Amino acid sequence: MKKSLNIYVYDGSFSGLLVLIKYLFQNSIFPLDIKSTDYNFSLLDNPINLNLTNNDDIIMEFIKKTNVYFFNTCFNIYLSNDNNKEIILFKFFLCFIKYGNNTFYMRKFDSINKALKIDQYVRRENHKFKGFVRFKELNNGILYAEISPENNIIFILAKHFKQRLKKEKWIIKDVKRNIVCYYDSHLNFYDGNTLNISLDLNINENEYVDMWKSFYDTIGIKERNNERCRMNFMPKKYWKYIVEMSDKIWKKL
């Protein structure tokens, strides 16, 4: 491939990134970097925006060319907060085209090692939030929860709760990115500014919250209380939206 000193720009979507990767691969271009349109470029940068047509069919095409596991790994990398995720994903794709599934066992290559570490980081955070999400019932019967993860995991986290709460109507809001997922038999994602949500809690909700806090405190064994150990399993950065860690417990620390 011919190396380029240019930074190639995509529209910020996963499908848009795959379209650009396909273009670069087909034209044997190895870019200096890949960034989304909202990246803060410096005066010394030389960004190239090809304005490629975004095509959702690229996702099925990508899966057929690789496989589902590789696709999910790439999607996790895209969802990460790593500043270099796009170029890492591009290099990871090139390695897979060359080595196939053996790529996952070739951590001696820096690009592969970085890609798999990012994937693991996103998977672990998603797994933690499966247990850390706390829903509250609103007046309209909809369950509502807020999260603020390091990575943009709401898209994969929502799939878990789609299976877990398939008969309920619920909303999960990523406060940090202002993304809202609304489930009512189907998953729908919105910009938080475009969706009006009445956050009036059900009249009985505070009672349920108090009952849960009381239960949490009751089952705890004071003699075995170990704050350092608890923070290992439930890091402080998640406490803000966890009912049992708010108020009294929060003020102690």
Side-chain angles (χ1 to χ4, degrees), residues 70-84:
F70 179 77
F71 170 82
N72 288 335
T73 302
C74 289
F75 188 52
N76 287 340
I77 295 171
Y78 165 76
L79 296 178
S80 78
N81 64 351
D82 192 286
N83 293 328
N84 301 308

Side-chain angles (χ1 to χ4, degrees), residues 16-76:
L17 178 57
L18 296 184
V19 168
L20 177 57
I21 289 176
K22 177 183 177 181
Y23 173 87
L24 296 174
F25 177 71
Q26 290 180 336
N27 290 276
S28 298
I29 300 173
F30 197 108
L32 177 65
D33 208 344
I34 300 174
K35 297 295 182 184
S36 65
T37 51
D38 59 359
Y39 180 75
N40 188 21
F41 294 98
S42 71
L43 294 175
L44 299 177
D45 291 329
N46 187 21
I48 294 180
N49 192 340
L50 299 170
N51 292 314
L52 299 172
T53 303
N54 199 332
N55 180 7
D56 289 337
D57 292 337
I58 189 67
I59 292 178
M60 291 307 302
E61 182 181 341
F62 188 83
I63 293 175
K64 289 179 181 178
K65 193 171 186 65
T66 56
N67 58 52
V68 174
Y69 185 77
F70 179 77
F71 170 82
N72 288 335
T73 302
C74 289
F75 188 52
N76 287 340

Side-chain angles (χ1 to χ4, degrees), residues 85-235:
K85 62 184 180 182
E86 292 91 351
I87 192 65
I88 291 174
L89 200 159
F90 177 72
K91 293 177 181 178
F92 188 51
F93 170 76
L94 294 183
C95 290
F96 188 86
I97 294 300
K98 185 175 183 179
Y99 301 111
N101 286 326
N102 290 330
T103 303
F104 293 97
Y105 306 100
M106 303 174 71
R107 284 184 175 266
K108 63 180 180 180
F109 291 104
D110 187 57
S111 57
I112 295 175
N113 189 43
K114 285 181 179 177
L116 295 180
K117 279 186 175 180
I118 294 172
D119 170 57
Q120 186 180 48
Y121 176 42
V122 173
R123 289 177 188 271
R124 282 180 175 174
E125 184 172 44
N126 181 58
H127 178 70
K128 287 179 180 178
F129 267 92
K130 289 177 182 178
F132 290 157
V133 173
R134 298 291 184 267
F135 287 96
K136 294 182 178 180
E137 186 177 1
L138 303 178
N139 269 336
N140 52 16
I142 296 176
L143 303 179
Y144 177 79
E146 291 183 346
I147 60 174
S148 186
E150 296 296 322
N151 302 291
N152 191 12
I153 61 171
I154 190 171
F155 298 99
I156 51 178
L157 183 66
K159 292 181 180 179
H160 167 75
F161 287 102
K162 178 183 177 181
Q163 296 299 319
R164 188 79 181 271
L165 302 171
K166 61 177 62 178
K167 294 184 179 180
E168 304 287 344
K169 294 181 181 180
W170 50 262
I171 292 172
I172 298 178
K173 180 178 181 179
D174 184 336
V175 177
K176 182 181 292 186
R177 297 167 184 82
N178 201 22
I179 299 174
V180 175
C181 175
Y182 172 60
Y183 174 77
D184 182 6
S185 74
H186 294 90
L187 292 176
N188 301 282
F189 297 91
Y190 302 93
D191 183 317
N193 295 323
T194 64
L195 188 66
N196 292 322
I197 306 173
S198 174
L199 298 182
D200 294 331
L201 295 177
N202 183 288
I203 191 172
N204 297 318
E205 184 60 30
N206 287 331
E207 293 182 15
Y208 291 132
V209 169
D210 291 339
M211 288 171 62
W212 172 244
K213 287 180 180 180
S214 177
F215 170 75
Y216 183 83
D217 290 340
T218 302
I219 63 173
I221 302 174
K222 293 182 179 180
E223 291 75 15
R224 294 185 179 181
N225 185 48
N226 187 328
E227 296 297 341
R228 185 183 296 274
C229 180
R230 174 159 61 181
M231 282 189 284
N232 286 336
F233 290 97
M234 189 186 292

